[in-house]
């Protein structure tokens, strides 16, 4: 349910605003448009924790020298089915797009392919990249190291892990792919950031304060630790995703990981891993689609619990949100709106309301 203290902004207005400000801080126009499409799509899909709520910190990091506005992205290794990419400390959205484009290109020959990345930054919503592959007839995988350490090892009292999100997207015969996109914490830290900006409480099971006790105060939660989903299973999952995202490329892990918000003058050396599994490398595409349709029908046609009107597939709510918000506008919290407007005023870039 949408909060009362929101204002709607059109997709086109938000994109114009972001592209113009990125250009003011030195990002080339074409790349600014790609980054913006990635960023605003998160808001369109209802994933507000990974949309423009992060835009001010991305700009600050460029201004402070912690992120490179004009990276020369390069390949360190390049094989038939694998590669290692150096992002030259560019914005993670751009680096991620280039890496998944490369994986898809390698996959078009019928090969499963993986691209490991180093020297990148926070790349936004992981689903953006896995869906790129799904639109090309491939199962897409994307993994990333968290941009902040805010999770302890199971039984530990020191944050040396991020919530390390990952996404897997499967092409379907329907209007949208089936998409898993999740952090390894009960809730993405970005949701806590949104709550802190708007001064709203969070569920007590999301995070602890710096004292290690559960808290509903989002500001206190940002000083503490996020709670892994499934207890020790979530800890193990975030560890594995973090290792997959860094060990193949030489990106930072553990205590070496910088803080996206606090260490804005130094490079983060964030790591990602992108993979594709071309459907036609395994079976006839039509046969795959028939199996997928039956699987989808089995799931959505299951007997529903009392009071449940509809069973959704993973990624379906986001798909529906995308259509609705394109039509009705993107809701922004009033505190976030003020922050964006203040940033725009510094560069004489207004943010038009819907």
């Amino acid at each position: 349910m949408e909060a009362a203290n929101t204002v709607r902004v059109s997709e086109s207005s938000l994109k114009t605003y972001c592209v113009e400000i990125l250009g003011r801080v030195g990002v080339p126009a074409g790349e600014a448009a790609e980054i913006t499409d990635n960023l605003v799509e998160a808001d369109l899909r209802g994933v507000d924790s990974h949309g423009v709520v992060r835009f001010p910190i991305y700009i600050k990091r460029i201004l402070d020298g912690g992120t490179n506005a004009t990276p020369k992205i390069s390949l360190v290794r390049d094989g038939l089915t694998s590669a290692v990419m150096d992002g030259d400390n560019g914005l993670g959205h751009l680096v991620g797009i280039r890496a998944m484009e490369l994986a898809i290109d390698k996959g078009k020959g019928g090969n499963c392919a993986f691209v490991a990345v180093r020297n990148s930054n926070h790349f936004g919503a992981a689903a953006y990249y896995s869906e790129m592959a799904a639109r090309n007839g491939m199962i897409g995988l994307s993994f990333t190291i968290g941009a902040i350490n805010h999770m302890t090892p199971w039984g530990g009292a020191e944050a040396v892990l991020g919530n390390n999100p990952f996404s897997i997207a499967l092409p379907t015969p329907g209007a949208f792919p089936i998409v898993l996109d999740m952090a390894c914490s009960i809730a993405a830290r970005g949701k806590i950031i949104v709550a802190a900006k708007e001064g709203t409480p969070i569920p007590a099971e999301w995070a602890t304060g710096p004292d290690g006790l559960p808290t509903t105060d989002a500001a206190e939660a940002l000083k503490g630790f996020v709670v892994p989903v499934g207890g020790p299973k979530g800890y193990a999952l975030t560890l594995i995703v973090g290792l997959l995202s860094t060990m193949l490329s030489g990106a930072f892990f553990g205590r070496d990981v910088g803080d996206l918000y606090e260490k804005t003058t130094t490079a983060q050396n964030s790591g990602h891993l992108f993979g594709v599994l071309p459907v036609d490398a395994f079976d006839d595409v039509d046969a795959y689609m028939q199996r997928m349709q039956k699987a989808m029908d089995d799931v959505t046609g299951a007997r529903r619990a009392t009071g449940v009107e509809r069973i959704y597939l993973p990624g379906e709510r986001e798909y529906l949100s995308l259509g609705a918000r394109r039509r009705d506008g993107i809701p922004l919290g009033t505190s976030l709106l003020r922050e964006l407007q203040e940033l725009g005023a510094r560069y004489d870039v207004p943010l038009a309301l819907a």
Side-chain angles (χ1 to χ4, degrees):
M1 185 175 179
E2 187 175 320
N5 58 337
T6 59
V7 177
R8 288 188 174 268
V9 178
S10 71
E11 175 186 5
S12 60
S13 293
L14 199 53
K15 284 185 172 180
T16 297
Y17 165 89
C18 291
V19 168
E20 291 193 12
I21 289 186
L22 285 168
R24 298 287 204 280
V25 298
V27 178
E31 295 180 357
E34 290 183 274
I35 293 162
T36 294
D37 283 344
N38 180 320
L39 189 65
V40 174
E41 184 168 305
D43 288 298
L44 287 169
R45 288 165 51 88
V47 189
D48 302 316
S49 56
H50 287 69
V52 295
V53 69
R54 310 268 188 166
F55 190 68
I57 192 60
Y58 296 148
I59 299 302
K60 177 173 173 55
R61 288 190 60 83
I62 291 173
L63 294 174
D64 290 353
T67 300
N68 184 0
T70 55
K72 305 300 181 186
I73 300 171
S74 62
L75 293 181
V76 179
R77 293 184 177 228
D78 189 19
L80 178 64
T81 62
S82 63
V84 176
M85 179 174 285
D86 189 308
D88 193 27
N89 196 31
L91 284 161
H93 309 75
L94 179 67
V95 179
I97 289 169
R98 293 291 179 268
M100 183 50 96
E101 286 175 340
L102 178 60
I104 291 169
D105 187 57
K106 290 180 180 295
K108 287 179 178 176
N111 295 310
C112 301
F114 283 85
V115 177
V117 178
R118 70 189 187 202
N119 289 330
S120 184
N121 284 282
H122 188 267
F123 76 177
Y128 188 91
Y129 311 99
S130 62
E131 286 199 31
M132 287 173 61
R135 288 193 294 271
N136 281 273
M138 305 175 189
I139 296 173
L141 304 96
S142 63
F143 307 85
T144 187
I145 191 80
I148 305 169
N149 282 338
H150 44 61
M151 186 185 293
T152 67
W154 191 251
E158 176 188 2
V160 293
L161 298 168
N163 58 7
N164 300 344
F166 67 98
S167 178
I168 302 172
L170 292 86
T172 73
F176 58 92
I178 290 178
V179 185
L180 168 67
D181 182 2
M182 61 173 283
C184 297
S185 53
I186 290 176
R189 192 170 188 268
K191 292 184 178 181
I192 302 174
I193 292 171
V194 171
K197 285 183 183 293
E198 302 307 320
T200 56
I202 60 172
E205 64 269 20
W206 280 14
T208 68
D211 57 3
L213 298 176
T215 182
T216 60
D217 186 323
E220 283 299 298
L222 291 177
K223 302 174 187 176
F225 313 114
V226 295
V227 177
V229 62
K233 293 181 179 180
Y235 148 64
L237 184 59
T238 204
L239 174 61
I240 292 298
V241 173
L243 294 173
L244 282 172
S245 302
T246 59
M247 293 296 124
L248 296 175
S249 65
F252 283 166
F253 177 85
R255 291 189 178 91
D256 292 332
V257 173
D259 188 304
L260 173 69
Y261 288 86
E262 299 299 328
K263 298 181 179 179
T264 58
T265 62
T266 56
Q268 286 205 286
N269 187 15
S270 292
H272 322 302
L273 179 67
F274 302 95
V276 297
L277 306 174
V279 171
D280 60 9
F282 295 87
D283 196 4
D284 178 77
V285 173
D286 287 340
Y288 163 89
M289 290 299 181
Q290 289 173 10
R291 290 195 297 272
M292 284 297 298
Q293 186 62 62
K294 183 180 184 304
M296 294 161 65
D297 291 343
D298 284 352
V299 171
T300 58
R303 186 171 63 251
R304 297 186 296 276
T306 302
V308 174
E309 295 183 359
R310 178 176 179 179
I311 295 174
Y312 292 90
L313 293 165
E316 186 172 5
R317 292 179 185 273
E318 290 82 358
Y319 170 75
L320 294 172
S321 172
L322 189 147
R325 289 188 173 191
R326 280 204 162 126
R327 180 187 65 244
D328 302 329
I330 298 169
L332 300 179
T334 52
S335 295
L336 173 59
L337 178 64
R338 283 195 300 272
E339 187 177 6
L340 295 176
Q341 288 175 328
E342 289 169 3
L343 176 62
R346 291 169 52 188
Y347 296 99
D348 194 26
V349 177
L351 176 55
L353 304 182

